[in-house]
């Protein structure tokens, strides 16, 4: 009953709060009384919890098994980023609200705002790209190759079964600087390929397109210039929706002439490689658009560089690729798994955004950028499913040896011994019970995949020895105390060779 | 002028918002008009930025040098945590507001709330301990040893020169489970010592005390029970304030009898090791307090275990140590640097908190916990100062070799060559310009500490060779293209041996 009253009071006060700007002093007084009453009620109930313990909607904890997988995935990705010479930076989890305003188009409504507690108006970062651009403008850096792995926040309706959350990791690699055409862009595609190969996710393809080619196509089809971004965002939905649905959105929501929509439909069904570039070059109407000519030259060069980077069989030039975000200005790309994992959708994406840094610079100084973002949450989902079906247990610790006792009250002996192991830099664990059962200790080793156990016993101690046991084979041998560390090190060395 | 108007409007609207609960419909109408005007103004100025680009108050970006240092510090700490067999977990950056309520005493006002955008009321995490306790209660785990390295948020008045920020990293290691007295507690002290040793910060001491001993002392001195936490929080200030100031707080703010305050003053000036335990055992009045007897037994056992763990010379039993947070129930500790770095204050701390998990459990099931938190921001400050004074440059990338050209338009040759290096897993970089100047390329190697450069030239290519240059010595040699990778690998192997 208390809980019910509590909820009603919250509803009552919240209702009043929303009405606040049109309220009268009398209402404010009532609210104040209710709040007092509520505070009193809370005091009465200081004991047991009155709410359900959970993480916020769309978020989750990562348990040790999930973290072990995540860290190994991130480690592989970082290895690739470092192979290409990237530095890393970090930025705060929140930004001044103004920094994020006007950067995400329709999706701006998904930004998490912080409460105005006096001082600056803040919002949680929505991606890592806008903070990166803000960082570049602030530091006046004209070139940098950086990676950034961190969480971002979107008040989306979470589809958590599909690996979509309100809090999720992004893994970004970007190259900023005034460089020659397609040299940084092609390396970004190479980085995507190396990362996906390292993660062993199965077959994938990288779709590429060019924003200015889409602009040229829209112009050729007769789309009014002010509708370009809206139509582009409709085309972007083609990876999830059918052409009929997208056509409907263009005509009904975006008020596009059906004849124009159908012209677009012909273009966005096309995909290929050099053959498609050739086909488009033969399109006399399209070639009247300077942006299309420029984009095709860029795409042709990109395909040539991809060939040198041994990426040709992964690349697919697809006119239906549009990318949702407003800030892209050139090449865009997106990697998707093919074969068994089609339903996962895009697992990496990115493109060129030459004007974003300038939006933060007082003198509008341009720093051209191109980058990629790996969709690690989806990658985690794929790998978690793979691991679950394989039945292999992920180790969550890196303990080499467990120090056990077979008899009671030998904990101080154990502690003396484990001190030596720690001093030698070995990863060693023990029970925090004075007299644990041997069986429990060995079971702990099995459960956590600890390969070795030292068994400390009274009679062995008297002889200056301990028992070293290999958990998997259950083979035990007596080892002189002073040779223990070198013995363990030798065992670790040998076992690493086996891999 | 536009900017000035803009600011005035913001001030005007904010002022009105604060008055909202006592306002009239007329005011609300005026506010609405002002907001419209403001929106219109913003539209007119959609071009250049109207605000100063900065990070939110009390936060900062980490540049590549700072990140390189941070990652190396965290890596050393993680190595120690893993040496002791800890797993890692992660929790969301925000929690339901109720999860944080009533856990931090006076400091609750420093919690960052998220704006109510419909749905749950959320707040940014204030530490990693409360989310850990919430995690344990949710998962019903009865024992775990976990570390967690992540950012936490406090709306404090930042003293950024002293390494205090509103967004900062915490590095926590905790042992949860029903275990034997002082076994997990002493290992926590050992972990602090190993971490501080690994970081090579200079001399330090670890102060220890026991919350129940403080309770016993307060009772002996005649502090009323309901003032225990308040007086404890006053004692906690002794590391920054003089006894006179703390005494004044006790008497004036906390309404304590000056006679009682003076009795406390005598106790909290005491420090020592086993000798102090002995002295307190001879205190007949204190020994009438069961909590004091219990705490002294625990402390005595802890000192014994610390001796086994070779920590004796680091430990100091100090009755002035109180720790600010409400949730501690047993042993508490805090590490401080001594010698040159006194001004940095506490760089690690922690203690036992046996009742926190129970606060989240419907059946109030107890999971005893003890843990440590390393103050890495302060550690970063100390090490940054050290590095700055040493003049040594931190490497921010791990590039082994830079692929350079001495002539124009050899970029495709470069790209072919670097593809082979990447395929071999080597960390390799190149210019994103088609025809960069050789000098610029070699300067880049110097600047980033890249040890090797390959120089691709027309005549060498014709001979099937490239030039391999050691940057530091400027020694160059011709290497057959097919032997290049093994040559570089050999060089890396040899250079690693030198360390």
């Amino acid at each position: 009953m208390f809980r019910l009253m509590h909820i009603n009071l919250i509803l009552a006060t919240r209702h009043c709060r929303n009405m606040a700007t049109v309220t009268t002093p009398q209402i404010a007084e009532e609210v104040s009384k209710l709040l007092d009453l509520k505070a009193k009620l809370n005091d009465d109930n200081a004991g047991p919890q009155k709410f359900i313990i959970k993480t916020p909607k769309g978020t989750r904890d990562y348990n040790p098994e999930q973290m072990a997988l995540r860290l190994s995935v991130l480690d592989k990705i970082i290895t690739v980023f470092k192979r290409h010479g990237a530095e890393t930076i970090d930025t705060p989890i929140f930004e001044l609200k103004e920094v994020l305003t006007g950067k995400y188009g329709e999706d701006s409504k998904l930004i998490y705002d912080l409460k105005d507690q006096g001082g600056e108006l803040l919002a949680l970062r929505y991606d890592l790209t806008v903070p990166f651009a803000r960082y570049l403008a602030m530091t006046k850096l004209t070139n940098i190759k950086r990676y950034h792995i961190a969480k971002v926040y979107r008040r989306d309706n979470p589809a958590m079964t599909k690996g979509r959350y309100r809090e999720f990791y992004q893994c970004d690699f970007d190259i900023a600087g005034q460089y020659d055409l397609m040299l940084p862009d092609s390396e970004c595609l190479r980085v995507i390929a190396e990362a996906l190969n390292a993660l062993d996710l199965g077959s994938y393809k990288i779709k590429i397109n060019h924003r200015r080619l889409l602009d040229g196509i829209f112009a050729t089809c007769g789309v009014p210039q002010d509708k370009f971004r809206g139509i582009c965002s409709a085309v972007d939905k083609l990876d999830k929706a059918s052409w009929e649905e997208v056509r409907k959105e263009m005509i009904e929501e975006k008020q596009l002439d059906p004849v124009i929509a159908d012209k677009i439909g012909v273009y966005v069904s096309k995909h290929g490689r050099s053959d498609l570039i050739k086909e488009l070059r033969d399109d006399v109407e399209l070639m009247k658009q300077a942006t299309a000519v420029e984009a095709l030259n860029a795409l042709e060069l990109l395909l040539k560089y991809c060939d040198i980077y041994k990426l040709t069989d992964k690349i697919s030039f697809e006119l239906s690729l549009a990318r949702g975000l407003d800030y892209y200005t050139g090449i865009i790309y997106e990697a998707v798994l093919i074969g068994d994992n089609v339903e996962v959708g895009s697992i990496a994406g990115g493109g060129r955004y030459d004007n974003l840094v300038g939006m933060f610079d007082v003198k509008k100084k341009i720093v051209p950028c191109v980058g990629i973002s790996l969709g690690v949450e989806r990658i985690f989902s794929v790998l978690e499913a793979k691991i679950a079906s394989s039945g292999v247990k992920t180790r969550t610790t890196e303990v080499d040896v467990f120090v056990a006792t077979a008899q009671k009250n030998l904990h101080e002996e154990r502690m003396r011994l484990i001190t030596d192991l720690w001093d030698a830099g070995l990863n060693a664990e023990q029970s925090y019970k004075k007299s644990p059962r041997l069986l429990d200790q060995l079971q702990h080793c099995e459960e956590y995949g600890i390969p070795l156990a030292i068994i400390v016993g009274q009679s062995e101690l008297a002889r200056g020895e301990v028992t070293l046991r290999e958990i998997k084979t259950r083979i035990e041998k007596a080892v002189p105390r002073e040779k223990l560390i070198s013995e363990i090190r030798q065992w670790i060395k040998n076992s690493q060779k086996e891999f």
Side-chain angles (χ1 to χ4, degrees), chain A residues 31 34 46 88 91 163 259 280 284 305 320 338 400 435 461 465 467:
Chain A
V31 170
L34 280 169
T88 189
T91 63
V259 179
L280 294 174
V284 182
Y305 288 167
S320 62
I338 47 183
D400 303 313
S435 305
L461 280 174
E465 284 178 351
T467 303

Side-chain angles (χ1 to χ4, degrees), chain A residues 376-395:
Chain A
V376 279
E377 299 295 339
R378 290 181 180 176
I379 293 171
F380 294 153
S381 298
V382 173
L383 293 176
E384 270 173 359
K386 235 181 178 178
I387 288 170
S389 72
S390 79
V392 177
K393 208 169 175 296
T394 315
R395 273 200 78 179

Side-chain angles (χ1 to χ4, degrees), chain A residues 34 38 45 48 58 78 83 113 143 153 192 206 235 269 284 349 402 415 450 490 497:
Chain A
L34 280 169
K38 184 184 149 199
N45 293 322
I78 291 170
R83 189 179 299 147
D113 293 333
N143 64 294
Y153 298 86
I192 292 181
I206 307 174
V235 171
S269 67
V284 182
F402 189 94
M415 289 166 82
I450 302 171
Q490 192 57 48
K497 268 189 207 144

Side-chain angles (χ1 to χ4, degrees), chain A residues 19-247:
Chain A
M19 286 166 55
T21 47
V22 290
T23 195
T24 61
Q26 283 83 343
I27 296 186
E29 208 176 289
E30 288 303 313
V31 170
S32 159
K33 277 185 205 163
L34 280 169
L35 283 171
D36 283 353
L37 214 69
K38 184 184 149 199
K40 222 172 149 190
L41 254 178
N42 279 347
D43 277 350
D44 291 347
N45 293 322
Q49 289 297 334
K50 280 280 159 291
F51 63 98
I52 295 160
I53 295 285
K54 63 186 282 296
T55 61
K57 185 179 175 191
T59 69
R60 58 178 164 171
D61 296 319
Y62 297 123
N63 68 30
E65 285 77 22
Q66 291 167 325
M67 279 305 284
L69 174 67
R70 269 146 193 73
L71 291 176
S72 93
V73 166
L74 296 181
D75 189 52
K76 282 175 186 162
I77 292 171
I78 291 170
T79 299
V80 172
F81 290 167
K82 284 185 178 169
R83 189 179 299 147
H84 290 262
E87 310 176 277
T88 189
I89 66 162
D90 197 15
T91 63
I93 203 98
F94 42 65
E95 295 278 346
L96 297 184
K97 177 75 181 162
E98 291 110 317
V99 167
L100 306 188
T101 303
K103 308 299 185 302
Y104 301 107
E106 290 175 12
D107 288 344
S108 293
K109 62 181 184 297
L110 304 181
I111 293 172
Y112 274 101
D113 293 333
L114 266 74
K115 191 172 159 185
D116 182 2
Q117 293 170 290
E120 300 159 336
L121 290 180
L122 307 173
L124 296 185
R125 64 181 166 210
Y126 182 87
D127 65 7
L128 302 176
T129 311
V130 168
F132 175 54
R134 193 264 307 144
Y135 175 85
L136 287 178
M138 246 178 86
T139 55
K140 310 266 175 216
L141 277 172
T142 54
N143 64 294
I144 186 174
K145 181 162 55 186
R146 81 91 180 78
Y147 72 90
H148 190 185
I149 296 180
K151 288 173 173 180
V152 301
Y153 298 86
R154 299 183 184 179
R155 289 183 66 253
D156 218 334
N157 271 327
M160 293 188 287
T161 46
K162 290 180 186 164
R164 281 182 63 195
Y165 290 86
R166 289 183 161 198
E167 173 185 60
F168 58 97
Y169 276 103
Q170 281 201 334
C171 291
D172 283 21
F173 170 97
D174 293 78
I175 302 172
Q178 186 69 57
Y179 296 124
D180 281 322
L181 195 63
M182 293 301 122
L183 276 170
D185 310 60
S186 54
E187 186 160 334
C188 284
L189 296 181
R190 169 83 195 187
V191 169
I192 292 181
E194 281 187 33
L196 298 183
N197 292 344
L199 292 168
D200 197 18
L201 293 163
S203 305
Y204 62 89
K205 69 172 173 182
I206 307 174
K207 304 191 236 174
I208 61 169
N209 199 2
H210 198 293
R211 267 287 167 89
R212 293 173 72 76
L213 177 60
L214 282 173
D215 287 352
I217 288 171
F218 296 153
T220 305
C221 296
V223 179
Q225 181 120 29
D226 63 340
K227 289 207 162 103
F228 276 17
R229 285 284 75 77
I231 296 303
C232 187
S233 133
V235 171
D236 180 51
K237 287 165 189 150
L238 277 174
D239 59 340
K240 281 164 211 135
S242 68
W243 166 246
E244 282 64 38
E245 291 166 294
V246 170
R247 183 178 181 276

Side-chain angles (χ1 to χ4, degrees), chain A residues 400-401 417 421 424 426 451-454 465-470 475-496:
Chain A
D400 303 313
V401 55
L417 195 144
L421 302 182
L426 290 170
L452 295 176
I454 294 165
E465 284 178 351
V466 292
T467 303
L468 186 62
R469 176 181 169 120
E470 196 181 47
I475 295 170
E476 294 187 349
K477 72 170 172 180
V479 178
R481 180 76 148 80
E482 70 276 11
K483 285 196 179 156
L484 181 61
I485 287 165
S486 59
E487 189 81 19
I488 294 170
R489 283 203 179 125
Q490 192 57 48
W491 189 94
I492 294 169
K493 213 173 158 186
N494 291 343
S495 76
Q496 279 165 345

Side-chain angles (χ1 to χ4, degrees), chain A residues 180-445:
Chain A
D180 281 322
L181 195 63
M182 293 301 122
L183 276 170
D185 310 60
S186 54
E187 186 160 334
C188 284
L189 296 181
R190 169 83 195 187
V191 169
I192 292 181
E194 281 187 33
L196 298 183
N197 292 344
L199 292 168
D200 197 18
L201 293 163
S203 305
Y204 62 89
K205 69 172 173 182
I206 307 174
K207 304 191 236 174
I208 61 169
N209 199 2
H210 198 293
R211 267 287 167 89
R212 293 173 72 76
L213 177 60
L214 282 173
D215 287 352
I217 288 171
F218 296 153
T220 305
C221 296
V223 179
Q225 181 120 29
D226 63 340
K227 289 207 162 103
F228 276 17
R229 285 284 75 77
I231 296 303
C232 187
S233 133
V235 171
D236 180 51
K237 287 165 189 150
L238 277 174
D239 59 340
K240 281 164 211 135
S242 68
W243 166 246
E244 282 64 38
E245 291 166 294
V246 170
R247 183 178 181 276
K248 203 175 155 203
E249 179 182 327
M250 288 180 175
I251 296 167
E252 291 179 10
E253 279 176 50
K254 312 262 154 90
Q255 276 89 45
L256 196 70
D257 183 335
V259 179
I260 297 177
D262 290 334
K263 283 187 189 168
I264 296 173
V266 175
Y267 279 108
V268 297
S269 67
K270 292 178 195 292
H271 54 91
R273 282 180 212 161
S274 313
D275 53 328
L276 180 54
I277 292 182
K278 201 167 171 297
E279 183 189 331
L280 294 174
R281 283 230 165 98
D282 292 339
D283 183 332
V284 182
E285 283 308 304
L286 184 62
M287 286 304 99
K288 287 179 186 163
Q289 300 293 332
T291 59
V293 175
E294 180 202 323
L296 286 177
N297 290 342
L299 282 161
E300 187 170 43
L301 191 60
L302 182 66
L303 286 181
K304 184 180 174 193
Y305 288 167
C306 284
D307 202 32
I308 297 178
Y309 283 158
K310 299 183 186 166
L311 302 173
T312 309
D313 60 330
K314 306 290 186 198
I315 302 287
S316 173
F317 170 27
E318 308 202 354
L319 291 184
S320 62
L321 179 72
R323 303 281 298 158
L325 291 169
D326 272 3
Y327 49 63
Y328 291 117
T329 55
I331 288 289
I332 46 176
Y333 34 80
E334 204 164 282
V336 292
L337 295 183
I338 47 183
D340 297 342
N341 279 306
V342 195
E343 72 286 351
V344 189
S346 152
I347 48 162
R352 178 162 283 283
Y353 51 101
D354 285 348
N355 299 331
L356 193 56
V357 179
M359 289 172 77
F360 292 109
D361 192 88
V362 189
K363 295 173 186 164
K364 304 202 82 183
K365 219 188 101 206
I366 296 287
V367 180
C369 296
V370 63
I372 64 171
S373 186
L374 291 168
V376 279
E377 299 295 339
R378 290 181 180 176
I379 293 171
F380 294 153
S381 298
V382 173
L383 293 176
E384 270 173 359
K386 235 181 178 178
I387 288 170
S389 72
S390 79
V392 177
K393 208 169 175 296
T394 315
R395 273 200 78 179
T396 58
T397 73
E398 295 175 18
V399 176
D400 303 313
V401 55
F402 189 94
V403 182
T405 41
Q407 291 138 321
K408 283 191 175 174
N409 290 318
L410 283 177
H411 57 288
E412 291 186 19
E413 289 302 335
R414 267 201 275 140
M415 289 166 82
R416 254 180 282 278
L417 195 144
I418 206 168
T419 305
D420 290 348
L421 302 182
W422 289 332
D423 281 341
L426 290 170
N427 297 350
E429 233 190 351
Q430 61 174 338
S431 167
Y432 298 114
K433 291 184 175 163
K434 276 159 73 176
S435 305
R437 295 192 316 151
L438 184 60
L439 191 66
D440 290 344
Q441 297 172 79
L442 295 177
Q443 266 175 357
H444 177 92
C445 295

